[in-house]
Amino acid sequence: MNLTVIDHPLTSHYLTVLRDEATQPEEFRSAARRLTYTLVMEATKQVPLLERPVTTPLETTTGYRMPDMVAIAVLRAGLGLLDAVIDMIPHVKVGFAGVQRDEETIQPIEYYFKTADLSDAHVLILEPMLATGGSLSWAVEKAKENGAGSITALCVVAAPAGVQAMYDRHPDVRVVAASLDRDLNDASYIRPGLGDMGDRLFGTL
Ligand code: URA
């Protein structure tokens, strides 16, 4: 697993808006979208382009196009990143992975999974909070069962425990995050973190 933590002023600015407990859902959603643009730029950096000739008003030259891409949003919080991904990669196909954690065992429980065939696609998994790594590992396993080879996870905040879990279980997966935070509390929330991303996006606090 290789981890890239983005070092960019816009990423830091929007992450701070997300962390602030005073930020209300409307501003939270727009900050999540804007921060995601910076994640997508980094996450797609290593995607191999397909060459195609392009004719300018002056002559024909070498051009490029993006390969097939599939984004899988881990519900609910991954929905907060999806608009920006679709904005930047309009041909992206979108899958959904429904998982909730058992609050006692902290284990992921699947309730929904639907995606296109992933065989030749570059897959982006949208899992904003990499806490224990349980949900992301599960989503990666499901993506691999559906044929995925090249997988990059987009995270807003990662915790060392989640990074370690990904390193142990999926060393082939690239993780791009806006921050690597300190640790987890007893309820497996990331510290300093930003709280429950789904609740903050959708106002269900
Ligand atoms: N999920 C969240 O939404 N926040 C955390 O801190 C951990 C998991």
Side-chain angles (χ1 to χ4, degrees):
M1 199 272 312
N2 79 63
L3 171 70
T4 304
V5 178
I6 296 181
D7 178 18
H8 192 286
L10 284 170
T11 314
S12 306
H13 174 85
Y14 289 117
L15 177 61
T16 303
V17 176
L18 294 177
R19 287 196 196 280
D20 189 339
E21 64 176 359
T23 301
Q24 296 302 304
E26 186 177 352
E27 193 188 358
F28 192 93
R29 285 194 279 262
S30 86
R33 191 180 68 247
R34 293 186 168 121
L35 181 143
T36 305
Y37 292 127
T38 70
L39 296 179
V40 173
M41 289 297 286
E42 179 60 39
T44 51
K45 216 168 170 177
Q46 296 170 3
V47 167
L49 287 170
L50 305 170
E51 252 186 53
R52 72 166 184 93
V54 60
T55 304
T56 76
L58 302 178
E59 62 183 41
T60 297
T61 185
T62 307
Y64 304 93
R65 69 177 177 82
M66 290 285 284
D68 290 344
M69 306 277 303
V70 177
I72 299 176
V74 179
L75 301 174
R76 288 178 297 166
L79 294 176
L81 313 190
L82 187 55
D83 283 353
V85 171
I86 293 173
D87 252 4
M88 292 190 81
I89 314 170
H91 69 286
V92 72
K93 291 181 181 162
V94 179
F96 297 94
V99 63
Q100 63 189 47
R101 63 178 178 178
D102 183 311
E103 292 301 340
E104 277 172 21
T105 64
I106 311 296
Q107 290 306 306
I109 305 172
E110 170 180 349
Y111 62 89
Y112 187 76
F113 188 84
K114 186 162 179 85
T115 181
D117 176 41
L118 304 177
S119 312
D120 294 316
H122 294 269
V123 177
L124 303 176
I125 298 187
L126 317 182
E127 168 57 311
M129 305 304 284
L130 178 55
T132 62
S135 304
L136 182 56
S137 289
W138 167 81
V140 167
E141 271 150 36
K142 296 290 289 186
K144 286 180 176 173
E145 280 168 30
N146 282 268
S150 153
I151 302 177
T152 301
L154 271 66
C155 304
V156 174
V157 180
V163 170
Q164 185 63 49
M166 289 303 293
Y167 183 78
D168 293 342
R169 295 180 214 163
H170 298 290
D172 53 322
V173 170
R174 181 166 182 240
V175 174
V176 174
S179 173
L180 177 60
D181 276 13
R182 190 179 70 247
D183 62 6
L184 302 177
N185 71 6
D186 292 342
S188 291
Y189 279 90
I190 301 173
R191 294 190 293 202
L194 49 82
D196 187 301
M197 176 94 177
D199 282 345
R200 299 206 57 202
L201 275 168
F202 300 114
T204 47
L205 285 168

